[in-house]
Amino acid sequence: MNQKYWTNAIQKISSSVITRHFPISQSNSKHVIDARIIKTGFDPATSRGNFQLAKLLRRGELSRARQLFDEMPNRNVISLNTLISGYVKSGDLVTARDLFDGMTSRTAVTWTILIGGYANYGPPVEAFKLYADMYGRGTMPDSVTFTTLLSGFNDETTINQMVQIHAHVVKLGFDCECTVCNTLVDCYCKCHRLSSAIMLFEEMPKRDTVTYNALISGHVNDGLNREAVDLFLRMQESGLAPSEFTFAAVLSAGVGLGDLFLGQQVHGFLIKTNFIWDVFVTNALLDFYSKNDLLSDANKLLYEMPEVDGVSFNIIISGHAWAGDYEKSLALFRELQKTKFNRREFPFSTILSVAANTFDLELGRQIHCQITITKALDEFQVANALVDMYAKCGQFEEANLIFRFLSHKGTVPWTAMISALVQKGHDEEGIKMFTEMCRRNVMPDQATFASILRASASLPSLSLGKQLHCFMFRSGFLSNVFCGSALLDMYAKCGSMRDATRAFHEMPKRNIVSWNAMITAYAQNGDGEGTIKVFDQMVSVGLQPDSVSILSVLTACSRCGLVEEGMRYFNNMTELNLMAPRREHYVTVVDILCRSGRFEQAERLMGQMPFIPDEIMLSSVLNSCRIHKNQELAKKVAEKLFNMDIRDAASYVNMSNIYAAAGDWEKVAKVKKAMRERGVKKVPAYSWVEIKHKMHVFSANDKTHPRWEDISRKIGSLSIRMEEEGYRPDTSCALHDWDEDAKAQSLMYHSERLAIAFALISTPEGSPILVMKNLRACSDCHAAIKVISKIVGREITIKGCLVWPLVTLMEKFQNL
């Protein structure tokens, strides 16, 4: 249709209108039209300007549109509304608000445009305030105003304002408008007020596909996947046709249920209804297959899809990364780079997670360069992943630099930094960062608590752990199975099996992780009977043991001398549980045999292993040789260890102790000389005890403590009573070329005995005592502590720990 056609049509319409209302001759029609223009205030020049203004804005030429606007001789409300809309869509709310505030006359459309800007780009509360101002000035909203206003209310912080808007919707009679009610249902779902959404849904006089889609998605987001599928079936019974969003929501429910049959049924339904051609729907199907570990089906679907986009590649790349197939994930990412899809939307966060998990700093930095070029760092998920990658690769300065400049520091980046610090052994720094996170009112999540509890267990600090327990209770994370397992592990490593057991029994749900945590807790505390009992209970409830379960049982058998039981569980790994023993299982079984003196059997097993013995295994054998005084095997093992150029002092110390016990001081000197030449330093033995939220650290013969005289007197009085109980010092544990009296005297002032003595004079009678130690206690101290426990009538626990606390952080947690 050409311009001449439209000109003739307009003239005909104008003539008919004029003839009907103004019965005058055709010759005067031009004058009549001019009169109508004057009467209505219509300005053709302004109308043309508005048309050109809208055209420029559609093309994204905001600066030219502003220039045209400024040059327009006459502007009206439509002109201003159009320009304000342009600024709102560009995200420039400041300029949009300046134009808005300068208007002398505003319509409902004007208010709605700016409300939409704040709802989508600014704080939703500002949109609510603007709506209140609009209503207060007498401008009545319409259905578009309400749907626009509610579009920004999508979290629990805005629930109070949303309820007030709902009340206004009812008051003004818009509760019969389906579009407004649909938006309200969607908002209630996004704010996790599902009961309110269901109530509104049931009261709606009319429902459409959008209504069902919103409620189905709400059920899926709240984890009610079975109910979401039932709602989909109800929708089908009502005769409403599903849309692409319906299928996407139902497939998400299928992922949550792990229901492969449901996904296959939906797949068939998509083919039947011809939705398989919709890339949005097929992406949802692709996501379903990848998240159900059906990567072969997902790859097949990807190459059969009639249309793919960047999202399709993102899904399949992430699927391979989650499955641990990093090589395939990277290959697909390289294939994606050859396409013309928007590079800013590439799955940078997924590839960064691959770099973080493989500690591939070079790959991470390459992705960082691509992120910088595409300006994808503005995406908070990408920025968080970048922080996590640098932190896990040990580049804390770079991680902290990116972290400091994040525009929004939510829970995820804080947790990434804390988790990386704890994983690298920087427990105190992790706790300091957690404290700072709480001071900034950033709420921790289950991952944060799991990491910080691990730090508390590593220090270990029981009082800090208990404060974190209270914090978790207040935050509502105790029901989380991973938080509960971390809490259990913390109590066990801090020596409080009573609290660990209570935490286990109070868990509402238990999985293999929580059962393994309980089994490991008993094993670490040397309770072989308790370990086996919990293991059997786990099997009785229908859970299949994994390699961690078996390793914990073997560890308990090793520490408790349960040789036959340990060999039975080891043999059952392949026969009953169909698992191939790993290196750590062989190490533990060799330790079981050597601890019981079965060196020949241990040597046969080491010869049958699919790999050669490593430093850990040989060190274990060497320690057992020291206990059983098997110097012949000890020399062979020590020679192998020395040829490995090891840097761990434990093996050298064990060899030195073996020679010292035999009185061969010349060879002791040779071992110490070898340590000096190789730069190997013996780690000093420390013991520490926590009294009133403060750590007190002791070393052997340490006289620097402020209460040294009281400690010395207590040790003296204990020694007299210990002799009365029949205790005699085992001077073979004093590995020095001294006389017997000097050796016995030195044993009295070992670090753990100083810590026990201090705890006895600093705590109420009858209260239990927990002493932490960075190295193993000698056999004489084991015997002495049993006698002390009997004399004082207290439960005394000596807990080994790989680290010892330099400072205490208890005071910083008082206000959590």
Side-chain angles (χ1 to χ4, degrees):
M1 296 182 183
N2 55 27
Q3 187 176 0
K4 185 177 180 181
Y5 170 83
W6 285 111
T7 305
N8 294 335
I10 292 170
Q11 287 178 351
K12 289 179 181 179
I13 294 170
S14 302
S15 300
S16 63
V17 171
I18 294 167
T19 303
R20 186 167 59 252
H21 295 286
F22 305 99
I24 56 177
S25 66
Q26 188 70 21
S27 60
N28 293 327
S29 62
K30 180 180 179 180
H31 301 289
V32 173
I33 291 174
D34 289 341
R36 293 284 289 176
I37 289 172
I38 294 169
K39 184 176 180 180
T40 58
F42 179 76
D43 184 356
T46 304
S47 179
R48 284 192 299 271
N50 290 342
F51 176 79
Q52 292 172 349
L53 194 65
K55 188 176 180 180
L56 288 170
L57 290 171
R58 280 197 298 271
R59 294 203 304 246
E61 299 181 34
L62 183 58
S63 58
R64 287 189 62 191
R66 181 58 190 260
Q67 183 180 357
L68 174 64
F69 176 83
D70 292 336
E71 292 172 355
M72 288 174 65
N74 295 308
R75 300 185 287 261
N76 56 16
V77 174
I78 297 173
S79 313
L80 282 159
N81 287 352
T82 304
L83 190 60
I84 290 172
S85 177
Y87 278 112
V88 165
K89 288 177 181 178
S90 70
D92 187 355
L93 295 182
V94 175
T95 308
R97 188 60 185 260
D98 288 342
L99 287 168
F100 176 85
D101 290 338
M103 293 177 69
T104 56
S105 175
R106 306 181 186 115
T107 64
V109 175
T110 316
W111 289 93
T112 301
I113 290 169
L114 196 59
I115 286 170
Y118 282 111
N120 294 319
Y121 300 104
V125 176
E126 291 299 319
F128 178 78
K129 291 178 181 177
L130 200 61
Y131 169 76
D133 191 21
M134 167 188 175
Y135 188 77
R137 292 173 182 266
T139 304
M140 295 302 294
D142 56 16
S143 60
V144 178
T145 307
F146 282 117
T147 54
T148 303
L149 173 62
L150 288 166
S151 64
F153 291 75
N154 51 19
D155 60 58
E156 295 186 65
T157 61
T158 58
I159 189 65
N160 292 332
Q161 289 85 1
M162 202 185 79
V163 170
Q164 294 179 61
I165 296 168
H166 189 175
H168 245 229
V169 167
V170 176
K171 179 181 178 181
L172 299 178
F174 287 97
D175 53 328
C176 295
E177 291 275 354
C178 190
T179 55
V180 176
C181 290
N182 286 347
T183 311
L184 275 169
V185 169
D186 185 54
C187 288
Y188 277 124
C189 289
K190 288 177 178 176
C191 293
H192 298 285
R193 294 294 191 273
L194 197 57
S195 57
S196 300
I198 294 170
M199 188 181 300
L200 177 59
F201 175 85
E202 297 296 344
E203 292 176 354
M204 287 175 64
K206 183 183 178 182
R207 308 181 191 100
D208 59 12
T209 301
V210 177
T211 322
Y212 276 95
N213 288 350
L215 198 59
I216 292 171
S217 298
H219 279 83
V220 172
N221 291 336
D222 277 17
L224 302 173
N225 298 299
R226 181 57 60 192
E227 291 79 357
V229 175
D230 292 340
L231 198 60
F232 170 68
L233 296 175
R234 180 178 170 184
M235 175 185 176
Q236 292 294 101
E237 292 170 358
S238 69
L240 289 171
S243 68
E244 63 272 24
F245 299 105
T246 317
F247 287 119
V250 173
L251 285 168
S252 295
V255 171
L257 292 168
D259 192 338
L260 179 60
F261 182 64
L262 171 63
Q264 290 171 335
Q265 284 184 309
V266 174
H267 193 164
F269 197 3
L270 291 174
I271 296 172
K272 182 180 177 180
T273 55
N274 212 29
F275 271 99
I276 199 68
W277 298 95
D278 189 305
V279 67
F280 177 79
V281 177
T282 48
N283 281 342
L285 189 61
L286 193 67
D287 184 61
F288 171 83
Y289 282 125
S290 65
K291 286 183 178 175
N292 278 284
D293 297 328
L294 298 170
L295 288 174
S296 58
D297 292 329
N299 282 308
K300 183 180 177 182
L301 176 62
L302 177 71
Y303 292 107
E304 289 179 352
M305 286 169 63
E307 180 187 355
V308 295
D309 57 11
V311 176
S312 314
F313 273 97
N314 286 3
I315 291 169
I316 197 71
I317 289 169
S318 299
H320 282 284
W322 290 331
D325 189 357
Y326 300 136
E327 187 176 344
K328 180 66 173 177
S329 182
L330 289 171
L332 285 165
F333 180 73
R334 294 187 187 101
E335 189 177 336
L336 173 62
Q337 288 179 305
K338 298 174 184 176
T339 66
K340 295 182 179 180
F341 299 130
N342 187 352
R343 298 178 69 85
R344 185 183 171 92
E345 296 176 358
F346 280 8
F348 291 123
S349 56
T350 299
I351 302 302
L352 285 169
S353 72
V354 171
N357 292 328
T358 57
F359 306 108
D360 191 339
L361 181 60
E362 183 180 353
L363 171 63
R365 283 180 169 154
Q366 288 177 3
I367 300 300
H368 189 178
C369 291
Q370 294 188 40
I371 290 169
T372 304
I373 293 169
T374 57
K375 299 181 180 179
L377 194 59
D378 296 338
E379 301 290 333
F380 75 95
Q381 286 184 337
V382 175
N384 292 344
L386 198 58
V387 170
D388 183 61
M389 183 277 296
Y390 277 122
K392 284 183 177 175
C393 289
Q395 304 298 309
F396 292 108
E397 288 186 9
E398 294 176 68
N400 198 41
L401 182 65
I402 297 168
F403 177 79
R404 285 203 314 268
F405 286 100
L406 287 178
S407 57
H408 174 68
K409 294 186 183 72
T411 303
V412 174
W414 281 98
T415 301
M417 290 292 292
I418 292 168
S419 176
L421 286 166
V422 173
Q423 286 177 6
K424 295 294 182 181
H426 306 302
D427 300 299
E428 293 186 6
E429 289 82 356
I431 293 173
K432 288 176 182 177
M433 197 156 200
F434 177 75
T435 308
E436 184 64 24
M437 173 184 178
C438 295
R439 284 177 177 167
R440 293 178 182 268
N441 296 318
V442 180
M443 282 302 297
D445 60 10
Q446 59 267 28
T448 322
F449 280 117
S451 294
I452 206 66
L453 282 168
R454 180 180 172 184
S456 176
S458 297
L459 281 173
S461 174
L462 185 60
S463 61
L464 172 60
K466 287 184 175 180
Q467 291 180 56
L468 289 168
H469 190 170
C470 294
F471 195 4
M472 284 173 60
F473 178 79
R474 294 202 310 268
S475 303
F477 284 105
L478 277 181
S479 59
N480 182 273
V481 67
F482 294 102
C483 287
S485 299
L487 185 66
L488 187 162
D489 181 65
M490 181 275 299
Y491 277 126
K493 286 181 177 175
C494 289
S496 181
M497 280 302 297
R498 187 180 306 166
D499 290 320
T501 305
R502 185 185 298 117
F504 178 75
H505 289 299
E506 289 178 353
M507 293 172 67
K509 292 182 180 179
R510 305 185 190 105
N511 60 7
I512 188 67
V513 175
S514 46
W515 279 98
N516 280 349
M518 194 71 241
I519 293 169
T520 304
Y522 277 107
Q524 288 176 342
N525 281 274
D527 188 346
E529 184 180 343
T531 304
I532 294 172
K533 182 180 178 181
V534 176
F535 179 87
D536 292 340
Q537 287 176 350
M538 181 185 75
V539 174
S540 67
V541 299
L543 283 174
Q544 179 71 20
D546 60 11
S547 60
V548 177
S549 316
I550 302 294
L551 182 62
S552 295
V553 173
L554 292 175
T555 302
C557 292
S558 173
R559 295 189 176 185
C560 299
L562 303 175
V563 182
E564 302 303 328
E565 291 84 348
M567 296 307 298
R568 176 166 54 86
Y569 281 109
F570 179 72
N571 293 329
N572 285 344
M573 282 189 71
T574 53
E575 295 174 8
L576 299 181
N577 299 315
L578 303 177
M579 285 185 289
R582 298 179 181 176
R583 182 181 292 270
E584 55 267 27
H585 297 102
Y586 279 105
V587 169
T588 312
V589 173
V590 168
D591 189 56
I592 290 174
L593 294 171
C594 290
R595 278 177 181 249
S596 62
R598 302 186 185 186
F599 293 105
E600 292 182 5
Q601 192 175 348
E603 286 186 273
R604 282 199 303 272
L605 180 62
M606 286 191 285
Q608 296 169 359
M609 293 188 310
F611 40 76
I612 61 174
D614 60 4
E615 177 186 338
I616 298 173
M617 182 178 290
L618 293 176
S619 297
S620 172
V621 175
L622 186 63
N623 185 60
S624 294
C625 289
R626 179 185 62 81
I627 296 170
H628 291 280
K629 297 180 174 57
N630 188 339
Q631 293 190 40
E632 183 179 350
L633 180 59
K635 290 177 182 178
K636 292 192 297 184
V637 172
E639 186 177 350
K640 290 181 180 179
L641 282 169
F642 292 159
N643 290 334
M644 291 180 179
D645 192 27
I646 58 173
R647 296 296 172 183
D648 183 12
S651 300
Y652 294 96
V653 172
N654 272 334
M655 196 65 209
S656 175
N657 291 345
I658 288 170
Y659 290 132
D664 194 342
W665 301 107
E666 184 179 347
K667 289 186 178 178
V668 170
K670 287 183 179 180
V671 172
K672 291 183 178 179
K673 181 182 178 182
M675 291 177 66
R676 288 194 299 271
E677 290 175 349
R678 298 185 182 187
V680 179
K681 294 184 179 180
K682 179 183 176 182
V683 178
Y686 290 95
S687 297
W688 62 93
V689 63
E690 185 180 337
I691 306 293
K692 296 181 180 178
H693 306 304
K694 185 177 180 181
M695 294 292 185
H696 297 264
V697 184
F698 300 89
S699 59
N701 298 298
D702 184 3
K703 298 180 181 181
T704 60
H705 196 277
R707 297 191 62 184
W708 162 250
E709 292 183 1
D710 295 330
I711 293 170
S712 181
R713 278 195 297 269
K714 189 65 177 177
I715 288 176
S717 63
L718 284 173
S719 298
I720 296 171
R721 296 185 62 186
M722 289 166 68
E723 287 184 12
E724 293 173 356
E725 291 290 332
Y727 162 77
R728 295 294 180 269
D730 181 4
T731 55
S732 65
C733 295
L735 303 173
H736 301 279
D737 190 10
W738 298 340
D739 59 46
E740 293 298 306
D741 289 340
K743 289 181 178 180
Q745 187 73 13
S746 69
L747 291 174
M748 290 172 56
Y749 294 98
H750 275 193
S751 62
E752 52 267 61
R753 298 203 205 179
L754 295 178
I756 291 171
F758 176 70
L760 287 171
I761 63 177
S762 305
T763 57
E765 291 187 10
S767 60
I769 295 173
L770 172 63
V771 174
M772 307 305 300
K773 187 172 172 63
N774 67 326
L775 299 176
R776 289 180 178 178
C778 68
S779 57
D780 180 70
C781 284
H782 273 293
I785 292 166
K786 289 180 181 179
V787 178
I788 294 172
S789 177
K790 179 181 176 182
I791 291 170
V792 299
R794 294 213 212 180
E795 178 184 331
I796 301 176
T797 303
I798 305 296
K799 182 72 176 171
C801 183
L802 295 177
V803 297
W804 61 281
L806 298 174
V807 296
T808 178
L809 297 167
M810 301 303 103
E811 296 175 359
K812 296 183 179 182
F813 277 83
Q814 296 304 316
N815 298 320
L816 284 185

